[in-house]
Amino acid sequence: MGLLDPLFRWTEVDVLYSDEARLQGMLDFEAALARALAGAGVVPGSAAAAIAGRCQAAYFDARALGLEAARAGNPAIPLVKRLTALVAQDDAAAARFVHWGATSQDAMDTGTVLQLRRALDVLEAELGRLADGLARLAVAHRKTPVAARTWMQQALPTTFGLKVAGWLDAVDRHRLRLLELRPRALVVQLGGAAGTLAALGDKGNEVVLALSRELELGVPGLPWHTHRDRLVEVATTLGLCTGTLGKIARDLSLQMMTEVAEVQEPAEEGRGGSSTLPHKRNPVACAVVLAAAMRMPGLVASMLAAMVQEEERGLGGWHAEWETLPEIVGLFGGALRHLTEAVCGLEVDPRRMRENLETSRGLVFAEAVQMALGAALGRAGAHDLVQAAATQAREERRHLRDVLAMDDTVARHLSPERLHALFDPAGYLGVADALIDRVLAAHAAYPGSGR
Amino acid sequence: MGLLDPLFRWTEVDVLYSDEARLQGMLDFEAALARALAGAGVVPGSAAAAIAGRCQAAYFDARALGLEAARAGNPAIPLVKRLTALVAQDDAAAARFVHWGATSQDAMDTGTVLQLRRALDVLEAELGRLADGLARLAVAHRKTPVAARTWMQQALPTTFGLKVAGWLDAVDRHRLRLLELRPRALVVQLGGAAGTLAALGDKGNEVVLALSRELELGVPGLPWHTHRDRLVEVATTLGLCTGTLGKIARDLSLQMMTEVAEVQEPAEEGRGGSSTLPHKRNPVACAVVLAAAMRMPGLVASMLAAMVQEEERGLGGWHAEWETLPEIVGLFGGALRHLTEAVCGLEVDPRRMRENLETSRGLVFAEAVQMALGAALGRAGAHDLVQAAATQAREERRHLRDVLAMDDTVARHLSPERLHALFDPAGYLGVADALIDRVLAAHAAYPGSGR
Amino acid sequence: MGLLDPLFRWTEVDVLYSDEARLQGMLDFEAALARALAGAGVVPGSAAAAIAGRCQAAYFDARALGLEAARAGNPAIPLVKRLTALVAQDDAAAARFVHWGATSQDAMDTGTVLQLRRALDVLEAELGRLADGLARLAVAHRKTPVAARTWMQQALPTTFGLKVAGWLDAVDRHRLRLLELRPRALVVQLGGAAGTLAALGDKGNEVVLALSRELELGVPGLPWHTHRDRLVEVATTLGLCTGTLGKIARDLSLQMMTEVAEVQEPAEEGRGGSSTLPHKRNPVACAVVLAAAMRMPGLVASMLAAMVQEEERGLGGWHAEWETLPEIVGLFGGALRHLTEAVCGLEVDPRRMRENLETSRGLVFAEAVQMALGAALGRAGAHDLVQAAATQAREERRHLRDVLAMDDTVARHLSPERLHALFDPAGYLGVADALIDRVLAAHAAYPGSGR
Amino acid sequence: MGLLDPLFRWTEVDVLYSDEARLQGMLDFEAALARALAGAGVVPGSAAAAIAGRCQAAYFDARALGLEAARAGNPAIPLVKRLTALVAQDDAAAARFVHWGATSQDAMDTGTVLQLRRALDVLEAELGRLADGLARLAVAHRKTPVAARTWMQQALPTTFGLKVAGWLDAVDRHRLRLLELRPRALVVQLGGAAGTLAALGDKGNEVVLALSRELELGVPGLPWHTHRDRLVEVATTLGLCTGTLGKIARDLSLQMMTEVAEVQEPAEEGRGGSSTLPHKRNPVACAVVLAAAMRMPGLVASMLAAMVQEEERGLGGWHAEWETLPEIVGLFGGALRHLTEAVCGLEVDPRRMRENLETSRGLVFAEAVQMALGAALGRAGAHDLVQAAATQAREERRHLRDVLAMDDTVARHLSPERLHALFDPAGYLGVADALIDRVLAAHAAYPGSGR
């Protein structure tokens, strides 16, 4: 927990990837393995108890294990050696059965899966909070007109509620993806040195089942030492999630620009200041989320690249995951936390949204006029007429309505009142409201929503 | 279809991404939109027929449209203009309703989805073929001993059937992932310029439903112009699939090395030769698959990076997908096709596999001896004894069995016959057979398997 | 040259990567090799002439070669076979010496280097045009005040000229990088099957030197079949260049937003329109450049990943380059061309730039006031006073100057005239002008600049 | 320094990126800035001394600063605040001038550059050690025959010295690249809030020059707050370097395979063991290097993606660098250190190399025979004859020499003695020796080599 962690990560997730948590994950495996072996009659029950009694991270020195791991090639080797020595202090006979039948990767992978389960629990709950926050925002602003912007140019009026409903819809899809991957990702790893469980004679499958019951994890078809899609899918899915968070943050940051100023991140003492500029209120949450969105594709790519693992144990590919997957979880956690706070406390300025609809001097209503004229003139004819008026309005810095009001063709088909009404955003929102309803209904039906 | 396409891609998939296919995708949208609009009473039925009659790629010149697209910013704009002109030749009234209520991205995205559906159909069928080929191979070699290799070093005996079952298990997981993403990815896009469907008045949702029925696509919660997770999930999932193909190809290429020579890609006239070396038989399929596995992470990263799309239409992010997604589908298709052919015609040399188990002069059986001695000496004691013998055997270039046979402690616990038997691979395969059965059973239960 | 190429690529660069250009690159190698062999007395001079006479792409059918390459594993193998057959038609004796002593990769790599040299020539010239266009813009707007924006918020006044000078400075650095990599990248490849040139007996080095003279390429220390840093450096350098283009495009796109409207891409018939919105003028060049900036990091990553090539010829890594490097060159070329055109025809609106400096109601001058008060109050005291005033101004929607004018402390230290002057952007531009001069001077000194 | 750092990183480099080092980098900037301001007469000399006296990381609590940075958005803001408070304890007047005229990014970027300079010093020295170790190996094995392998198949004989010379040549190219980037990367950052140095009035450039003299860094054309190519080039260049390290490690790992066994990483107590297999000696250095080579492309991609930074201060892009660049330097340092140790202590087995040349039953000499017959039969005729013999040899598991000895055509052109001699690797090494000499000469001429 150093200089940059509080900014980029979230304690509730990141603690799962502390050295201590990593050690505890492996030790939870070793303890459960001992119990499973005892249950299957492979080792004495007393040995299991003695082993489990020492499976606590506090007994171990991560730094010392790290130095040995630098030679051994992975941290499970010195951990098992040290665990054996500790158990031997208590019960020499039990020490003979530490790590029985297992390989280093069994301990490390199962430990990773256990950490991941805790992380997913926390992250899914927070995604739920974000979704609920968005749902509230969509409800509150379902009638708030705002400019829709395409290619970063004002296009048409829409509502802020519909913008938010789009964000919500995507977040809820991600929640479903995370549910779907759980049975694939949250499985036990136990294969012994080569995946045959040979060291357990004919008891291999029995022990795997017992181990999975101990840890409440699924049973894989076979050991997956070099089949990493189970874990990499977590990475790709969090990559997808982060893409959506980045999209939301990009939108917010554009709406927060000085010249737009439609929303603001929640105000807080010491938040978003500047070391020299007294007036600044920087969008810190957006910066953190966007930074994560820039870093994540590369990290996901690393996980995908590392899938090409050789035969029964990868050379380098497996190692490449050890820091990358925690990084992915940690960065996503930090970004999610920041965005949830920003969304839940977002300051929305409907007045400014409406004012900005006037920035273009009516051009944002061009399609409304075109559709109104289209019935009489055809789509192409109306398009040409309005395009010419729009160009004139832009060049002469006049309001489109005023230009159109001078046009004989327009006058023939639209009364002054009708023309005026076409420049009211509330009159050209299509089915925005119904779309919001559909998304909210789906959200409400989502398991655990509506809190 | 040029110089490198036949090597890297697969005609049945790649044709979906030809310019013609891309045009046809958009035209299928325009035709279906016209029918949907007619069904909803927005445009006359005669107009729909006239429009649909011109929605064939053969009427369009991709090169000419491309030159206009370079100025317009996307190919749908000149396509709609040209379609309108063509329809006008047949029925001037109908031409007024071309693309009615839609925006360029509606046409392009729905077209992409339609192409993608065809691609997924083809790819899933081929993945099924690969899986079936692997299943046959696992059955045929379930008893064939071969060295398991960890860190690219011989570790223990296993069976070739178990190696193959591991590949199969992963491939079947990917097939499930592809099924799960279909309802998210295969949905219609129709939102109009800003996602409100404002140009359709109050008929927006009705038209969306009709359009989805026309195209047999799902209905999204709302337009997803800048929510790209639907498409990007296809990319990440094909990225996962490619990782597994790469892992299989890496394994095969290692087993194909001159010094290992346990398998060979199918022989074929003109395949894998060299421009100068008369004896070469190069693993072309592996090269293609491994090349795809190296390129895919970067391409998936591009798709993830492009998710950060601004407000109602992205500036650059949307454009970044247009070539990247087809590239991903095309490279995966080519790799899949090559690997399926290699697997289905793989030449396996069980004799050489058994010979290679002798390469290490018995070291590959070290764990078997250790476990046999472990009951008497404890795991640690046995480990130390065998490790010392292994070091001696390596240094003196002797067989481990011979070194052990001279050891008094060994002699005390293991008869010469028992010691000899420990160096038989068939005696130390653990539950390999049962694991193969489990994977085959799951495969057989998979929808559409066993063909 | 299809539907998307005119938008994303640039003919002058892309043609280098057409199938025809790729074939010609290899054929140029074969012709030069034949001459070099003749020069070294390895083959008869008549053979060289006969071979060179057939080394024209027009004699070859890329599609047919592609189909053979799909089996052979690379296109050089069928090309050499076909070339041999063609030469045999003219001179049976000469046909014996086609490709003498070389391997496929020698032809493909040297061909790639030849294509790359042409591409670099074109790209460097265009980078020069871009730099010159930026220099002109910096000169024209060296006094034009505009808001500097940090974290996408108005910070201080700066000049548009200084913004542009920053772009120019980066572009000129890239030009230097491209010059530096030339001697590493533009070298001949000739090693024979394994890099020993064994097939040339003791004439190997002599032939390499002669070949390099023929092609005007450098001589490498030794064959670099699996040492790809020479080519990958081109990729990483174009990646860096694209990052800068993306930064410029992002800046332009933000300044082009409807609410900011400080610049516009050049107007052109049919440029940046919309299929439905009559008033839109979309920043097409920015979209193309930003799309390239999103795709490039993944493509560069693919090249870096492919560097891990096995022993004397890579399996997959080499193949992964064949399409990726042309893609990088092509996308960069397209982005560069679009940006150069946008910059050279950029419409700049100094009036709007000055108006936007009023958007914040004086907050953008907060630091100027703070520094003026700092002499008397200290930096911290001044910061606190101005920060409080800024908060009040924001909350009450008042101008900062008006709030400060009511403050007794301010009144004590600043006369009304002095206070008023602090809100003039021209008074707080620091050394902007001198910085522009420095950059322009460096640009003028750059070889070939100032055209 | 935790569980995985000793394995993946190298203390001498990693310590540069500890929190303490990061703080010290910023503090070195603040101290030098104070002195530069004093030198330019902007602040009193006594203030500079008082400020510099507190610019030591030991006075600061990284964890507490981190918590504030999470709100402020960067660690420089709370650092400056805390530094100001500390200086005020000593000299209230001096405290007014802390960070005078600078912005957070000035402190953070210059600090990064200072850290980077130390890292480059260490890394370049170690690259020199690696190069020297390779040079020694190339000399020692310049005559050691070994199989050249293409597509992971034996191709021809070469020498181990030539393989090593290829590695050396690439490493020396990287050393040159690192020298070339120094003047671009190692420059001072000082621009104030918006890059105009406005807060320093007309003293801006004078202070920049003084600061650069204080820190012995270069002077940039103008502030480069959002022009990140200077730093990203370090990332891409280390990416290139890592690619080469990965290539060497891949080669070594293939030569270390049980079935090949031509080289071994240095033996060391506790190195490369297994938690269960007593005989294993795992290539730990290769695993670490290959893991870095898999992770690096994604990390470099993140740096490239983050180059698109907005206007005068990036939102997210700048933040994305803070952990990514140290990660790149750290992973490269660890990989470099591991590989240097492995190369300097590499165990080479020339006997086994020669034995492996017999694995193919003479096929590895096929080209030698073909070239010998080519003079008489032509290249194509000889190719066909030898290819047929090779196929026969493979199918009948006979030695190619024995098959050829039975062939009448061969007998007509080659005496039994000549045929026998063609199967001697020493006779078909081309100009391997001369190539090694060329590379060694270039290495010896490299500044600082030959230690």
PDB file of all heavy atoms in Angstrom, chain D residues 356-368:
ATOM      1  N   ASN D 356      23.642 -34.820 -31.629  1.00  0.00           N
ATOM      2  CA  ASN D 356      22.338 -34.446 -32.178  1.00  0.00           C
ATOM      3  C   ASN D 356      22.380 -34.281 -33.692  1.00  0.00           C
ATOM      4  O   ASN D 356      21.363 -34.440 -34.367  1.00  0.00           O
ATOM      5  CB  ASN D 356      21.835 -33.154 -31.526  1.00  0.00           C
ATOM      6  CG  ASN D 356      21.352 -33.399 -30.101  1.00  0.00           C
ATOM      7  OD1 ASN D 356      21.054 -34.540 -29.718  1.00  0.00           O
ATOM      8  ND2 ASN D 356      21.295 -32.346 -29.299  1.00  0.00           N
ATOM      9  N   LEU D 357      23.550 -33.956 -34.202  1.00  0.00           N
ATOM     10  CA  LEU D 357      23.681 -33.865 -35.660  1.00  0.00           C
ATOM     11  C   LEU D 357      23.478 -35.227 -36.317  1.00  0.00           C
ATOM     12  O   LEU D 357      23.284 -35.322 -37.532  1.00  0.00           O
ATOM     13  CB  LEU D 357      25.047 -33.277 -36.038  1.00  0.00           C
ATOM     14  CG  LEU D 357      25.142 -31.753 -35.922  1.00  0.00           C
ATOM     15  CD1 LEU D 357      26.591 -31.285 -35.938  1.00  0.00           C
ATOM     16  CD2 LEU D 357      24.361 -31.078 -37.050  1.00  0.00           C
ATOM     17  N   GLU D 358      23.545 -36.276 -35.505  1.00  0.00           N
ATOM     18  CA  GLU D 358      23.294 -37.623 -36.025  1.00  0.00           C
ATOM     19  C   GLU D 358      21.828 -38.042 -35.896  1.00  0.00           C
ATOM     20  O   GLU D 358      21.412 -39.058 -36.460  1.00  0.00           O
ATOM     21  CB  GLU D 358      24.188 -38.642 -35.311  1.00  0.00           C
ATOM     22  CG  GLU D 358      25.635 -38.602 -35.785  1.00  0.00           C
ATOM     23  CD  GLU D 358      25.731 -38.773 -37.301  1.00  0.00           C
ATOM     24  OE1 GLU D 358      25.198 -39.772 -37.826  1.00  0.00           O
ATOM     25  OE2 GLU D 358      26.308 -37.874 -37.957  1.00  0.00           O
ATOM     26  N   THR D 359      21.047 -37.265 -35.131  1.00  0.00           N
ATOM     27  CA  THR D 359      19.645 -37.631 -34.874  1.00  0.00           C
ATOM     28  C   THR D 359      18.850 -37.865 -36.147  1.00  0.00           C
ATOM     29  O   THR D 359      17.985 -38.734 -36.222  1.00  0.00           O
ATOM     30  CB  THR D 359      18.940 -36.490 -34.105  1.00  0.00           C
ATOM     31  OG1 THR D 359      19.706 -36.186 -32.961  1.00  0.00           O
ATOM     32  CG2 THR D 359      17.536 -36.897 -33.711  1.00  0.00           C
ATOM     33  N   SER D 360      19.147 -37.039 -37.132  1.00  0.00           N
ATOM     34  CA  SER D 360      18.327 -37.085 -38.347  1.00  0.00           C
ATOM     35  C   SER D 360      18.797 -38.149 -39.322  1.00  0.00           C
ATOM     36  O   SER D 360      18.296 -38.219 -40.445  1.00  0.00           O
ATOM     37  CB  SER D 360      18.372 -35.710 -39.031  1.00  0.00           C
ATOM     38  OG  SER D 360      19.678 -35.468 -39.534  1.00  0.00           O
ATOM     39  N   ARG D 361      19.721 -38.957 -38.913  1.00  0.00           N
ATOM     40  CA  ARG D 361      20.294 -39.970 -39.806  1.00  0.00           C
ATOM     41  C   ARG D 361      20.759 -39.331 -41.119  1.00  0.00           C
ATOM     42  O   ARG D 361      20.385 -39.775 -42.204  1.00  0.00           O
ATOM     43  CB  ARG D 361      19.293 -41.080 -40.094  1.00  0.00           C
ATOM     44  CG  ARG D 361      18.899 -41.889 -38.864  1.00  0.00           C
ATOM     45  CD  ARG D 361      18.178 -43.158 -39.264  1.00  0.00           C
ATOM     46  NE  ARG D 361      17.629 -43.819 -38.092  1.00  0.00           N
ATOM     47  CZ  ARG D 361      16.441 -43.547 -37.574  1.00  0.00           C
ATOM     48  NH1 ARG D 361      15.679 -42.653 -38.134  1.00  0.00           N
ATOM     49  NH2 ARG D 361      16.027 -44.196 -36.492  1.00  0.00           N
ATOM     50  N   GLY D 362      21.503 -38.284 -40.972  1.00  0.00           N
ATOM     51  CA  GLY D 362      22.133 -37.679 -42.142  1.00  0.00           C
ATOM     52  C   GLY D 362      21.319 -36.657 -42.885  1.00  0.00           C
ATOM     53  O   GLY D 362      21.832 -35.981 -43.790  1.00  0.00           O
ATOM     54  N   LEU D 363      20.054 -36.506 -42.555  1.00  0.00           N
ATOM     55  CA  LEU D 363      19.234 -35.555 -43.321  1.00  0.00           C
ATOM     56  C   LEU D 363      19.750 -34.126 -43.198  1.00  0.00           C
ATOM     57  O   LEU D 363      19.582 -33.320 -44.115  1.00  0.00           O
ATOM     58  CB  LEU D 363      17.768 -35.630 -42.853  1.00  0.00           C
ATOM     59  CG  LEU D 363      17.048 -36.945 -43.152  1.00  0.00           C
ATOM     60  CD1 LEU D 363      15.610 -36.883 -42.646  1.00  0.00           C
ATOM     61  CD2 LEU D 363      17.061 -37.236 -44.649  1.00  0.00           C
ATOM     62  N   VAL D 364      20.372 -33.832 -42.066  1.00  0.00           N
ATOM     63  CA  VAL D 364      20.863 -32.474 -41.852  1.00  0.00           C
ATOM     64  C   VAL D 364      21.981 -32.121 -42.844  1.00  0.00           C
ATOM     65  O   VAL D 364      22.346 -30.955 -42.983  1.00  0.00           O
ATOM     66  CB  VAL D 364      21.296 -32.302 -40.380  1.00  0.00           C
ATOM     67  CG1 VAL D 364      22.651 -32.956 -40.132  1.00  0.00           C
ATOM     68  CG2 VAL D 364      21.306 -30.847 -39.966  1.00  0.00           C
ATOM     69  N   PHE D 365      22.515 -33.140 -43.520  1.00  0.00           N
ATOM     70  CA  PHE D 365      23.555 -32.867 -44.523  1.00  0.00           C
ATOM     71  C   PHE D 365      23.007 -32.892 -45.953  1.00  0.00           C
ATOM     72  O   PHE D 365      23.763 -32.887 -46.917  1.00  0.00           O
ATOM     73  CB  PHE D 365      24.705 -33.883 -44.380  1.00  0.00           C
ATOM     74  CG  PHE D 365      25.325 -33.843 -43.013  1.00  0.00           C
ATOM     75  CD1 PHE D 365      25.023 -34.808 -42.061  1.00  0.00           C
ATOM     76  CD2 PHE D 365      26.184 -32.806 -42.664  1.00  0.00           C
ATOM     77  CE1 PHE D 365      25.576 -34.761 -40.795  1.00  0.00           C
ATOM     78  CE2 PHE D 365      26.746 -32.752 -41.387  1.00  0.00           C
ATOM     79  CZ  PHE D 365      26.436 -33.730 -40.444  1.00  0.00           C
ATOM     80  N   ALA D 366      21.698 -32.935 -46.066  1.00  0.00           N
ATOM     81  CA  ALA D 366      21.098 -33.081 -47.393  1.00  0.00           C
ATOM     82  C   ALA D 366      21.504 -31.942 -48.331  1.00  0.00           C
ATOM     83  O   ALA D 366      21.801 -32.161 -49.505  1.00  0.00           O
ATOM     84  CB  ALA D 366      19.573 -33.151 -47.264  1.00  0.00           C
ATOM     85  N   GLU D 367      21.527 -30.715 -47.825  1.00  0.00           N
ATOM     86  CA  GLU D 367      21.880 -29.614 -48.717  1.00  0.00           C
ATOM     87  C   GLU D 367      23.328 -29.719 -49.185  1.00  0.00           C
ATOM     88  O   GLU D 367      23.647 -29.414 -50.333  1.00  0.00           O
ATOM     89  CB  GLU D 367      21.640 -28.238 -48.071  1.00  0.00           C
ATOM     90  CG  GLU D 367      21.632 -27.129 -49.124  1.00  0.00           C
ATOM     91  CD  GLU D 367      21.785 -25.725 -48.548  1.00  0.00           C
ATOM     92  OE1 GLU D 367      22.728 -25.470 -47.760  1.00  0.00           O
ATOM     93  OE2 GLU D 367      20.945 -24.872 -48.892  1.00  0.00           O
ATOM     94  N   ALA D 368      24.201 -30.174 -48.296  1.00  0.00           N
ATOM     95  CA  ALA D 368      25.610 -30.325 -48.676  1.00  0.00           C
ATOM     96  C   ALA D 368      25.727 -31.275 -49.867  1.00  0.00           C
ATOM     97  O   ALA D 368      26.438 -31.001 -50.843  1.00  0.00           O
ATOM     98  CB  ALA D 368      26.416 -30.827 -47.480  1.00  0.00           C
TER      99      ALA D 368
END
